Amino acid sequence: AGFAHVDCLAEMATRDPWIDVDGRARASRWKHCGTCHQGFLDALDLEMTRRMWRHYRDAPASAYRSGALRNVAIRLRTEDEDDAADRLDEETTTCLDRDHGSVLKSEIVKAASIMDTNPEAALELLTGLRARVGQCGDAHVSATHAYVVGTTLLNLGRSREARPFAVECVELATACHGPETAITFGARRLYATVLVEIGQVQEGRAELARVLAAQTRVLGAGHPNSRITKAALDRVSAMSA
């Protein structure tokens, strides 16, 4: 990992907001490094999100502007800035169909924001979105939905029901983002955790070890996602001891 000059990153995003990723998909330069395609994290991600908001807030109304501001709202919600996120959602609703990918992803993130404190309510919201997500046809949205549903079911102790969602999430994340990206590593960690919870401890531990080895090679041992996986692997190893 290194340091980036935020003004330069924002200027590049303003001039050309998209990055081609191995011919499979395009990634937002507001959210991803143009060189390695890894997503921005923590303070840098939040600052680039605010820069994106400042860039698009006075732009003419369009579906693209609405989608961009929806992404800002999604990020603000993860910082518990729900009032600001709600205002952006309301502002952009009139320009986007209710089944637009950005709208659906925003609703999924709303459910994710309560899945730890009220998983039953989160699951009810996510179940209601299932048909719309399928009809949307956006694999990125489907992958996010599968991940949040699987995690919510784990929180409810319904590990066997979580398994097909974890499998779906790994398949979609790999297809959309490639096999060695932070998003796909997170999906594989979810799948490994499900295996452990349904009693396949050795299989889950082996998968966590593979994920950690790949993360360490691609992201570095000090990357936040690598540390999360290492902590999960340590817990499972302690269970097996």
Side-chain angles (χ1 to χ4, degrees), residues 209-232:
R210 288 191 290 268
V211 173
L212 180 59
Q215 283 180 313
T216 301
R217 174 169 48 80
V218 175
L219 305 177
H223 192 281
N225 290 346
S226 301
R227 293 199 296 267
I228 292 172
T229 302
K230 185 178 186 307

Side-chain angles (χ1 to χ4, degrees), residues 49-157:
T49 298
R50 295 188 187 284
R51 299 289 183 106
M52 181 166 65
W53 174 69
R54 290 200 291 270
H55 177 68
Y56 286 109
R57 64 182 173 184
D58 297 324
S62 67
Y64 186 84
R65 174 184 181 274
S66 296
L69 294 185
R70 280 277 179 175
N71 285 331
V72 175
I74 288 169
R75 183 62 177 88
L76 292 178
R77 208 172 292 284
T78 65
E79 296 293 321
D80 295 325
E81 297 185 29
D82 292 328
D83 290 342
D86 287 342
R87 288 196 297 273
L88 281 178
D89 282 341
E90 290 171 7
E91 178 185 344
T92 58
T93 296
T94 56
C95 294
L96 294 177
D97 183 83
R98 68 187 292 267
D99 292 328
H100 187 280
S102 293
V103 175
L104 290 169
K105 194 167 184 180
S106 181
E107 293 185 34
I108 293 167
V109 171
K110 284 183 181 180
S113 69
I114 62 170
M115 68 181 178
D116 290 331
T117 57
N118 193 347
E120 293 88 355
L123 186 61
E124 183 178 354
L125 291 173
L126 293 163
T127 300
L129 290 172
R130 183 68 174 174
R132 290 169 57 198
V133 169
Q135 292 169 1
C136 170
D138 187 324
H140 295 80
V141 175
S142 295
T144 302
H145 183 267
Y147 181 86
V148 178
V149 172
T151 303
T152 302
L153 287 169
L154 272 180
N155 289 348
L156 287 167

